Amino acid sequence: MLTVEALTKTYKTGDKALRSVSFTVPKGQVVGLIGPSGAGKSTLIRCINRLVEPSEGRVLLNDLDITGLPAGGLRRARRQIGMIFQEYALVERLSVMENVLSGRLGYVGFWRSFLRRFPGEDVENAFRLLDRVGLIDHADKRADALSGGQRQRVGIARALAQDPELLLIDEPTASLDPKTSRQIMRLIVEICAERGLPAIINIHDVVLAQQFTQRIIGLQAGQIVFDGTPDLLDEGVLTRIYGEEDWTAMRRAAEEDDHAERDAAERMAGMV
């Protein structure tokens, strides 16, 4: 379980990116983190694993106080926190398999990692993960030969190779088309359910968040202004978070895309 207690981030300029943010995420729950640009979403994600140092407050992962750890302890703790990035953060000249195995760098010695000599069980697990994300036939391809959706699947497999206790996911669909975005969100949610993994997804697409996450936290100016189930996220709440927008039209367009995708899948299944 992840527990965030009164987390605050104040920059040297005096600007507050986070203002006493508190919440818990139990095992297996997928949380969508929404809000306008500058609301503090990415800062919150990065404060949890201390890529950004919080000014005040605590972050506890299964009772381990992440915020209180020295450098060595933080490196070990980060093994338990899988991070999936918007821009994939792959080493493009390396193969898909090598990128997945890079998720094990925190567990192997320097020379093994330098020479890319990973234990056999790590390699076997990487193959299983590539099969799970639908890329088993691409294991030997260079990362720069993949599509955006395939690169994001590699990022998911790499994060899972850490055998994490928590997933932090920063804008996983921002660079993807609508169909691929739904596929990636569906894959993340299914994997979290299979493994009992808690996850926080920083996502700009409100409709996707409502379709796929179990809980939504809305940030505005560094503060939580909504925390509840997707069905409670009505037009009034969304307007409080983002301002005026035609939310009904946005939902209708997303539903039409979803129905079209399902119809196409059913037609393909009927042709097999």
Side-chain angles (χ1 to χ4, degrees), residues 206-247:
V206 174
V207 177
L208 271 183
Q210 288 184 288
Q211 285 179 328
F212 289 101
T213 65
Q214 300 159 303
R215 173 184 171 194
I216 293 178
I217 294 176
L219 287 183
Q220 171 61 261
Q223 293 180 300
I224 293 179
V225 295
F226 175 83
D227 186 352
T229 54
D231 59 295
L232 297 177
L233 196 67
D234 59 22
E235 280 73 13
V237 174
L238 287 169
T239 299
R240 189 164 80 244
I241 297 171
Y242 290 99
E244 294 290 340
E245 182 59 79
D246 188 352
W247 301 106

mmCIF file of all heavy atoms in Angstrom, residues 206-247:
data_model
loop_
_atom_site.group_PDB
_atom_site.id
_atom_site.type_symbol
_atom_site.label_atom_id
_atom_site.label_comp_id
_atom_site.label_asym_id
_atom_site.label_seq_id
_atom_site.Cartn_x
_atom_site.Cartn_y
_atom_site.Cartn_z
ATOM 1 N N VAL A 206 -9.297 12.853 -19.663
ATOM 2 C CA VAL A 206 -10.271 12.590 -18.603
ATOM 3 C C VAL A 206 -11.160 11.402 -18.947
ATOM 4 O O VAL A 206 -11.466 10.561 -18.093
ATOM 5 C CB VAL A 206 -11.134 13.838 -18.343
ATOM 6 C CG1 VAL A 206 -12.251 13.539 -17.358
ATOM 7 C CG2 VAL A 206 -10.267 14.972 -17.826
ATOM 8 N N VAL A 207 -11.580 11.312 -20.210
ATOM 9 C CA VAL A 207 -12.478 10.230 -20.611
ATOM 10 C C VAL A 207 -11.785 8.874 -20.469
ATOM 11 O O VAL A 207 -12.379 7.902 -19.985
ATOM 12 C CB VAL A 207 -12.976 10.450 -22.046
ATOM 13 C CG1 VAL A 207 -13.855 9.277 -22.488
ATOM 14 C CG2 VAL A 207 -13.766 11.750 -22.144
ATOM 15 N N LEU A 208 -10.527 8.790 -20.853
ATOM 16 C CA LEU A 208 -9.773 7.542 -20.664
ATOM 17 C C LEU A 208 -9.669 7.189 -19.185
ATOM 18 O O LEU A 208 -9.808 6.027 -18.799
ATOM 19 C CB LEU A 208 -8.371 7.670 -21.254
ATOM 20 C CG LEU A 208 -8.147 7.308 -22.719
ATOM 21 C CD1 LEU A 208 -6.676 7.443 -23.050
ATOM 22 C CD2 LEU A 208 -8.652 5.909 -23.029
ATOM 23 N N ALA A 209 -9.408 8.187 -18.363
ATOM 24 C CA ALA A 209 -9.312 7.949 -16.920
ATOM 25 C C ALA A 209 -10.625 7.389 -16.390
ATOM 26 O O ALA A 209 -10.640 6.449 -15.580
ATOM 27 C CB ALA A 209 -8.952 9.242 -16.195
ATOM 28 N N GLN A 210 -11.737 7.942 -16.837
ATOM 29 C CA GLN A 210 -13.034 7.456 -16.372
ATOM 30 C C GLN A 210 -13.328 6.048 -16.870
ATOM 31 O O GLN A 210 -13.973 5.260 -16.182
ATOM 32 C CB GLN A 210 -14.141 8.411 -16.832
ATOM 33 C CG GLN A 210 -14.140 9.735 -16.088
ATOM 34 C CD GLN A 210 -15.293 10.616 -16.501
ATOM 35 O OE1 GLN A 210 -15.294 11.148 -17.602
ATOM 36 N NE2 GLN A 210 -16.265 10.773 -15.633
ATOM 37 N N GLN A 211 -12.879 5.725 -18.069
ATOM 38 C CA GLN A 211 -13.148 4.412 -18.645
ATOM 39 C C GLN A 211 -12.348 3.297 -17.970
ATOM 40 O O GLN A 211 -12.839 2.177 -17.832
ATOM 41 C CB GLN A 211 -12.826 4.420 -20.148
ATOM 42 C CG GLN A 211 -13.845 5.148 -20.999
ATOM 43 C CD GLN A 211 -13.453 5.138 -22.464
ATOM 44 O OE1 GLN A 211 -12.261 5.141 -22.806
ATOM 45 N NE2 GLN A 211 -14.438 5.125 -23.340
ATOM 46 N N PHE A 212 -11.111 3.606 -17.550
ATOM 47 C CA PHE A 212 -10.213 2.514 -17.178
ATOM 48 C C PHE A 212 -9.752 2.503 -15.720
ATOM 49 O O PHE A 212 -9.314 1.460 -15.246
ATOM 50 C CB PHE A 212 -8.985 2.538 -18.093
ATOM 51 C CG PHE A 212 -9.285 2.120 -19.505
ATOM 52 C CD1 PHE A 212 -9.439 3.062 -20.501
ATOM 53 C CD2 PHE A 212 -9.447 0.782 -19.821
ATOM 54 C CE1 PHE A 212 -9.738 2.687 -21.805
ATOM 55 C CE2 PHE A 212 -9.734 0.383 -21.119
ATOM 56 C CZ PHE A 212 -9.890 1.337 -22.115
ATOM 57 N N THR A 213 -9.791 3.615 -15.015
ATOM 58 C CA THR A 213 -9.282 3.598 -13.642
ATOM 59 C C THR A 213 -10.416 3.369 -12.649
ATOM 60 O O THR A 213 -11.582 3.637 -12.931
ATOM 61 C CB THR A 213 -8.537 4.898 -13.295
ATOM 62 O OG1 THR A 213 -9.443 5.998 -13.324
ATOM 63 C CG2 THR A 213 -7.408 5.156 -14.287
ATOM 64 N N GLN A 214 -10.049 2.894 -11.468
ATOM 65 C CA GLN A 214 -11.033 2.607 -10.420
ATOM 66 C C GLN A 214 -11.314 3.823 -9.546
ATOM 67 O O GLN A 214 -12.350 3.892 -8.877
ATOM 68 C CB GLN A 214 -10.513 1.469 -9.538
ATOM 69 C CG GLN A 214 -10.257 0.178 -10.295
ATOM 70 C CD GLN A 214 -9.312 -0.725 -9.550
ATOM 71 O OE1 GLN A 214 -8.191 -0.356 -9.222
ATOM 72 N NE2 GLN A 214 -9.775 -1.934 -9.266
ATOM 73 N N ARG A 215 -10.393 4.753 -9.558
ATOM 74 C CA ARG A 215 -10.486 5.923 -8.684
ATOM 75 C C ARG A 215 -9.791 7.087 -9.361
ATOM 76 O O ARG A 215 -8.796 6.886 -10.082
ATOM 77 C CB ARG A 215 -9.807 5.604 -7.352
ATOM 78 C CG ARG A 215 -9.659 6.761 -6.373
ATOM 79 C CD ARG A 215 -8.888 6.266 -5.171
ATOM 80 N NE ARG A 215 -8.496 7.299 -4.234
ATOM 81 C CZ ARG A 215 -7.592 7.111 -3.269
ATOM 82 N NH1 ARG A 215 -7.007 5.935 -3.131
ATOM 83 N NH2 ARG A 215 -7.279 8.096 -2.442
ATOM 84 N N ILE A 216 -10.305 8.280 -9.155
ATOM 85 C CA ILE A 216 -9.720 9.466 -9.759
ATOM 86 C C ILE A 216 -9.422 10.503 -8.679
ATOM 87 O O ILE A 216 -10.260 10.767 -7.813
ATOM 88 C CB ILE A 216 -10.646 10.065 -10.834
ATOM 89 C CG1 ILE A 216 -10.761 9.096 -12.020
ATOM 90 C CG2 ILE A 216 -10.135 11.420 -11.304
ATOM 91 C CD1 ILE A 216 -11.693 9.556 -13.111
ATOM 92 N N ILE A 217 -8.212 11.040 -8.738
ATOM 93 C CA ILE A 217 -7.820 12.161 -7.894
ATOM 94 C C ILE A 217 -7.612 13.368 -8.790
ATOM 95 O O ILE A 217 -6.841 13.310 -9.754
ATOM 96 C CB ILE A 217 -6.543 11.846 -7.093
ATOM 97 C CG1 ILE A 217 -6.807 10.729 -6.074
ATOM 98 C CG2 ILE A 217 -6.021 13.099 -6.382
ATOM 99 C CD1 ILE A 217 -5.579 10.291 -5.307
ATOM 100 N N GLY A 218 -8.318 14.446 -8.492
ATOM 101 C CA GLY A 218 -8.192 15.671 -9.266
ATOM 102 C C GLY A 218 -7.389 16.711 -8.526
ATOM 103 O O GLY A 218 -7.680 17.013 -7.366
ATOM 104 N N LEU A 219 -6.370 17.247 -9.190
ATOM 105 C CA LEU A 219 -5.528 18.299 -8.608
ATOM 106 C C LEU A 219 -5.821 19.643 -9.260
ATOM 107 O O LEU A 219 -6.049 19.722 -10.475
ATOM 108 C CB LEU A 219 -4.042 17.980 -8.798
ATOM 109 C CG LEU A 219 -3.393 16.879 -7.965
ATOM 110 C CD1 LEU A 219 -1.914 16.809 -8.293
ATOM 111 C CD2 LEU A 219 -3.607 17.088 -6.492
ATOM 112 N N GLN A 220 -5.796 20.675 -8.461
ATOM 113 C CA GLN A 220 -5.915 22.050 -8.933
ATOM 114 C C GLN A 220 -5.001 22.906 -8.069
ATOM 115 O O GLN A 220 -5.133 22.934 -6.847
ATOM 116 C CB GLN A 220 -7.354 22.534 -8.831
ATOM 117 C CG GLN A 220 -7.576 24.009 -9.097
ATOM 118 C CD GLN A 220 -7.164 24.439 -10.491
ATOM 119 O OE1 GLN A 220 -6.067 24.970 -10.647
ATOM 120 N NE2 GLN A 220 -8.004 24.201 -11.479
ATOM 121 N N ALA A 221 -4.031 23.556 -8.713
ATOM 122 C CA ALA A 221 -3.078 24.416 -8.006
ATOM 123 C C ALA A 221 -2.396 23.699 -6.840
ATOM 124 O O ALA A 221 -2.205 24.269 -5.771
ATOM 125 C CB ALA A 221 -3.771 25.685 -7.522
ATOM 126 N N GLY A 222 -2.031 22.428 -7.063
ATOM 127 C CA GLY A 222 -1.277 21.685 -6.063
ATOM 128 C C GLY A 222 -2.095 21.099 -4.933
ATOM 129 O O GLY A 222 -1.522 20.545 -3.988
ATOM 130 N N GLN A 223 -3.412 21.190 -5.014
ATOM 131 C CA GLN A 223 -4.283 20.662 -3.961
ATOM 132 C C GLN A 223 -5.255 19.639 -4.543
ATOM 133 O O GLN A 223 -5.663 19.748 -5.700
ATOM 134 C CB GLN A 223 -5.081 21.787 -3.303
ATOM 135 C CG GLN A 223 -4.246 22.776 -2.508
ATOM 136 C CD GLN A 223 -5.101 23.863 -1.895
ATOM 137 O OE1 GLN A 223 -5.774 24.611 -2.607
ATOM 138 N NE2 GLN A 223 -5.100 23.955 -0.585
ATOM 139 N N ILE A 224 -5.632 18.668 -3.722
ATOM 140 C CA ILE A 224 -6.658 17.715 -4.136
ATOM 141 C C ILE A 224 -8.023 18.388 -4.017
ATOM 142 O O ILE A 224 -8.407 18.839 -2.940
ATOM 143 C CB ILE A 224 -6.612 16.441 -3.266
ATOM 144 C CG1 ILE A 224 -5.316 15.661 -3.527
ATOM 145 C CG2 ILE A 224 -7.830 15.550 -3.560
ATOM 146 C CD1 ILE A 224 -5.166 14.408 -2.692
ATOM 147 N N VAL A 225 -8.743 18.447 -5.141
ATOM 148 C CA VAL A 225 -10.086 19.033 -5.132
ATOM 149 C C VAL A 225 -11.150 17.981 -5.433
ATOM 150 O O VAL A 225 -12.348 18.261 -5.351
ATOM 151 C CB VAL A 225 -10.200 20.202 -6.131
ATOM 152 C CG1 VAL A 225 -9.291 21.348 -5.712
ATOM 153 C CG2 VAL A 225 -9.871 19.746 -7.556
ATOM 154 N N PHE A 226 -10.709 16.754 -5.789
ATOM 155 C CA PHE A 226 -11.642 15.646 -5.980
ATOM 156 C C PHE A 226 -10.912 14.345 -5.715
ATOM 157 O O PHE A 226 -9.769 14.168 -6.131
ATOM 158 C CB PHE A 226 -12.209 15.628 -7.405
ATOM 159 C CG PHE A 226 -13.085 14.432 -7.679
ATOM 160 C CD1 PHE A 226 -14.413 14.430 -7.297
ATOM 161 C CD2 PHE A 226 -12.569 13.294 -8.295
ATOM 162 C CE1 PHE A 226 -15.219 13.321 -7.524
ATOM 163 C CE2 PHE A 226 -13.364 12.184 -8.529
ATOM 164 C CZ PHE A 226 -14.693 12.205 -8.139
ATOM 165 N N ASP A 227 -11.571 13.418 -5.049
ATOM 166 C CA ASP A 227 -11.030 12.079 -4.808
ATOM 167 C C ASP A 227 -12.221 11.137 -4.704
ATOM 168 O O ASP A 227 -12.935 11.135 -3.706
ATOM 169 C CB ASP A 227 -10.191 12.043 -3.525
ATOM 170 C CG ASP A 227 -9.493 10.698 -3.319
ATOM 171 O OD1 ASP A 227 -9.773 9.757 -4.074
ATOM 172 O OD2 ASP A 227 -8.666 10.617 -2.384
ATOM 173 N N GLY A 228 -12.455 10.368 -5.746
ATOM 174 C CA GLY A 228 -13.618 9.492 -5.729
ATOM 175 C C GLY A 228 -13.650 8.573 -6.936
ATOM 176 O O GLY A 228 -12.709 8.514 -7.733
ATOM 177 N N THR A 229 -14.743 7.852 -7.097
ATOM 178 C CA THR A 229 -14.910 6.917 -8.209
ATOM 179 C C THR A 229 -15.245 7.686 -9.492
ATOM 180 O O THR A 229 -15.771 8.798 -9.444
ATOM 181 C CB THR A 229 -16.023 5.912 -7.895
ATOM 182 O OG1 THR A 229 -17.221 6.628 -7.553
ATOM 183 C CG2 THR A 229 -15.619 5.009 -6.730
ATOM 184 N N PRO A 230 -14.951 7.099 -10.652
ATOM 185 C CA PRO A 230 -15.173 7.806 -11.921
ATOM 186 C C PRO A 230 -16.620 8.255 -12.135
ATOM 187 O O PRO A 230 -16.852 9.295 -12.752
ATOM 188 C CB PRO A 230 -14.754 6.775 -12.974
ATOM 189 C CG PRO A 230 -13.746 5.920 -12.278
ATOM 190 C CD PRO A 230 -14.231 5.825 -10.865
ATOM 191 N N ASP A 231 -17.585 7.503 -11.616
ATOM 192 C CA ASP A 231 -18.982 7.867 -11.843
ATOM 193 C C ASP A 231 -19.375 9.154 -11.120
ATOM 194 O O ASP A 231 -20.386 9.783 -11.467
ATOM 195 C CB ASP A 231 -19.913 6.728 -11.414
ATOM 196 C CG ASP A 231 -19.752 6.372 -9.944
ATOM 197 O OD1 ASP A 231 -18.662 5.897 -9.579
ATOM 198 O OD2 ASP A 231 -20.702 6.577 -9.158
ATOM 199 N N LEU A 232 -18.593 9.563 -10.125
ATOM 200 C CA LEU A 232 -18.883 10.800 -9.399
ATOM 201 C C LEU A 232 -18.257 12.031 -10.047
ATOM 202 O O LEU A 232 -18.489 13.149 -9.611
ATOM 203 C CB LEU A 232 -18.381 10.686 -7.953
ATOM 204 C CG LEU A 232 -19.030 9.596 -7.093
ATOM 205 C CD1 LEU A 232 -18.389 9.550 -5.709
ATOM 206 C CD2 LEU A 232 -20.533 9.819 -6.980
ATOM 207 N N LEU A 233 -17.497 11.806 -11.101
ATOM 208 C CA LEU A 233 -16.796 12.909 -11.763
ATOM 209 C C LEU A 233 -17.742 13.540 -12.791
ATOM 210 O O LEU A 233 -17.643 13.300 -13.991
ATOM 211 C CB LEU A 233 -15.526 12.388 -12.440
ATOM 212 C CG LEU A 233 -14.479 13.420 -12.861
ATOM 213 C CD1 LEU A 233 -13.859 14.082 -11.654
ATOM 214 C CD2 LEU A 233 -13.398 12.745 -13.710
ATOM 215 N N ASP A 234 -18.660 14.350 -12.307
ATOM 216 C CA ASP A 234 -19.655 14.955 -13.194
ATOM 217 C C ASP A 234 -19.151 16.283 -13.766
ATOM 218 O O ASP A 234 -18.040 16.731 -13.482
ATOM 219 C CB ASP A 234 -20.983 15.135 -12.465
ATOM 220 C CG ASP A 234 -20.873 16.027 -11.215
ATOM 221 O OD1 ASP A 234 -19.910 16.827 -11.127
ATOM 222 O OD2 ASP A 234 -21.745 15.927 -10.332
ATOM 223 N N GLU A 235 -20.016 16.913 -14.570
ATOM 224 C CA GLU A 235 -19.623 18.151 -15.236
ATOM 225 C C GLU A 235 -19.254 19.262 -14.247
ATOM 226 O O GLU A 235 -18.349 20.060 -14.489
ATOM 227 C CB GLU A 235 -20.752 18.628 -16.157
ATOM 228 C CG GLU A 235 -20.816 17.921 -17.499
ATOM 229 C CD GLU A 235 -21.339 16.484 -17.392
ATOM 230 O OE1 GLU A 235 -21.878 16.119 -16.314
ATOM 231 O OE2 GLU A 235 -21.199 15.736 -18.366
ATOM 232 N N GLY A 236 -19.958 19.300 -13.122
ATOM 233 C CA GLY A 236 -19.659 20.328 -12.124
ATOM 234 C C GLY A 236 -18.270 20.169 -11.542
ATOM 235 O O GLY A 236 -17.530 21.155 -11.378
ATOM 236 N N VAL A 237 -17.899 18.926 -11.217
ATOM 237 C CA VAL A 237 -16.564 18.662 -10.671
ATOM 238 C C VAL A 237 -15.503 18.967 -11.722
ATOM 239 O O VAL A 237 -14.480 19.604 -11.433
ATOM 240 C CB VAL A 237 -16.459 17.205 -10.193
ATOM 241 C CG1 VAL A 237 -15.021 16.895 -9.774
ATOM 242 C CG2 VAL A 237 -17.414 16.941 -9.041
ATOM 243 N N LEU A 238 -15.731 18.519 -12.964
ATOM 244 C CA LEU A 238 -14.751 18.750 -14.018
ATOM 245 C C LEU A 238 -14.559 20.235 -14.288
ATOM 246 O O LEU A 238 -13.439 20.697 -14.538
ATOM 247 C CB LEU A 238 -15.203 18.037 -15.293
ATOM 248 C CG LEU A 238 -15.073 16.514 -15.255
ATOM 249 C CD1 LEU A 238 -15.789 15.886 -16.444
ATOM 250 C CD2 LEU A 238 -13.615 16.088 -15.218
ATOM 251 N N THR A 239 -15.649 20.994 -14.217
ATOM 252 C CA THR A 239 -15.534 22.433 -14.413
ATOM 253 C C THR A 239 -14.737 23.079 -13.288
ATOM 254 O O THR A 239 -13.952 24.010 -13.514
ATOM 255 C CB THR A 239 -16.933 23.065 -14.520
ATOM 256 O OG1 THR A 239 -17.610 22.505 -15.653
ATOM 257 C CG2 THR A 239 -16.847 24.576 -14.678
ATOM 258 N N ARG A 240 -14.897 22.568 -12.060
ATOM 259 C CA ARG A 240 -14.124 23.095 -10.933
ATOM 260 C C ARG A 240 -12.632 22.812 -11.121
ATOM 261 O O ARG A 240 -11.783 23.611 -10.730
ATOM 262 C CB ARG A 240 -14.624 22.476 -9.617
ATOM 263 C CG ARG A 240 -14.015 23.130 -8.381
ATOM 264 C CD ARG A 240 -14.776 22.789 -7.126
ATOM 265 N NE ARG A 240 -14.432 21.483 -6.606
ATOM 266 C CZ ARG A 240 -15.275 20.462 -6.518
ATOM 267 N NH1 ARG A 240 -16.518 20.584 -6.934
ATOM 268 N NH2 ARG A 240 -14.893 19.302 -6.017
ATOM 269 N N ILE A 241 -12.307 21.674 -11.724
ATOM 270 C CA ILE A 241 -10.906 21.308 -11.926
ATOM 271 C C ILE A 241 -10.307 22.039 -13.118
ATOM 272 O O ILE A 241 -9.200 22.589 -13.040
ATOM 273 C CB ILE A 241 -10.770 19.779 -12.117
ATOM 274 C CG1 ILE A 241 -11.218 19.028 -10.862
ATOM 275 C CG2 ILE A 241 -9.325 19.408 -12.464
ATOM 276 C CD1 ILE A 241 -11.305 17.521 -11.054
ATOM 277 N N TYR A 242 -11.027 22.059 -14.231
ATOM 278 C CA TYR A 242 -10.460 22.535 -15.497
ATOM 279 C C TYR A 242 -11.015 23.858 -16.004
ATOM 280 O O TYR A 242 -10.394 24.496 -16.847
ATOM 281 C CB TYR A 242 -10.722 21.489 -16.599
ATOM 282 C CG TYR A 242 -9.935 20.218 -16.453
ATOM 283 C CD1 TYR A 242 -10.510 19.088 -15.883
ATOM 284 C CD2 TYR A 242 -8.625 20.122 -16.906
ATOM 285 C CE1 TYR A 242 -9.811 17.901 -15.765
ATOM 286 C CE2 TYR A 242 -7.910 18.939 -16.804
ATOM 287 C CZ TYR A 242 -8.511 17.835 -16.228
ATOM 288 O OH TYR A 242 -7.802 16.672 -16.110
ATOM 289 N N GLY A 243 -12.218 24.223 -15.570
ATOM 290 C CA GLY A 243 -12.909 25.348 -16.194
ATOM 291 C C GLY A 243 -13.948 24.843 -17.179
ATOM 292 O O GLY A 243 -14.151 23.640 -17.346
ATOM 293 N N GLU A 244 -14.609 25.757 -17.853
ATOM 294 C CA GLU A 244 -15.706 25.416 -18.754
ATOM 295 C C GLU A 244 -15.214 24.592 -19.944
ATOM 296 O O GLU A 244 -14.181 24.878 -20.542
ATOM 297 C CB GLU A 244 -16.387 26.687 -19.271
ATOM 298 C CG GLU A 244 -17.106 27.485 -18.190
ATOM 299 C CD GLU A 244 -18.345 26.761 -17.684
ATOM 300 O OE1 GLU A 244 -18.845 25.866 -18.398
ATOM 301 O OE2 GLU A 244 -18.803 27.092 -16.572
ATOM 302 N N GLU A 245 -15.994 23.550 -20.276
ATOM 303 C CA GLU A 245 -15.686 22.687 -21.420
ATOM 304 C C GLU A 245 -16.938 21.888 -21.738
ATOM 305 O O GLU A 245 -17.785 21.666 -20.865
ATOM 306 C CB GLU A 245 -14.514 21.749 -21.088
ATOM 307 C CG GLU A 245 -14.061 20.844 -22.217
ATOM 308 C CD GLU A 245 -13.614 21.598 -23.442
ATOM 309 O OE1 GLU A 245 -12.483 22.110 -23.458
ATOM 310 O OE2 GLU A 245 -14.431 21.686 -24.374
ATOM 311 N N ASP A 246 -17.067 21.439 -23.000
ATOM 312 C CA ASP A 246 -18.215 20.613 -23.385
ATOM 313 C C ASP A 246 -17.882 19.152 -23.093
ATOM 314 O O ASP A 246 -17.473 18.388 -23.973
ATOM 315 C CB ASP A 246 -18.536 20.813 -24.868
ATOM 316 C CG ASP A 246 -19.846 20.133 -25.265
ATOM 317 O OD1 ASP A 246 -20.401 19.395 -24.431
ATOM 318 O OD2 ASP A 246 -20.305 20.353 -26.392
ATOM 319 N N TRP A 247 -18.033 18.764 -21.838
ATOM 320 C CA TRP A 247 -17.661 17.413 -21.413
ATOM 321 C C TRP A 247 -18.552 16.344 -22.031
ATOM 322 O O TRP A 247 -18.097 15.237 -22.320
ATOM 323 C CB TRP A 247 -17.701 17.336 -19.890
ATOM 324 C CG TRP A 247 -16.775 18.305 -19.261
ATOM 325 C CD1 TRP A 247 -17.105 19.466 -18.617
ATOM 326 C CD2 TRP A 247 -15.346 18.236 -19.241
ATOM 327 N NE1 TRP A 247 -15.977 20.123 -18.198
ATOM 328 C CE2 TRP A 247 -14.889 19.394 -18.554
ATOM 329 C CE3 TRP A 247 -14.414 17.320 -19.722
ATOM 330 C CZ2 TRP A 247 -13.534 19.643 -18.361
ATOM 331 C CZ3 TRP A 247 -13.065 17.569 -19.529
ATOM 332 C CH2 TRP A 247 -12.636 18.722 -18.856
#
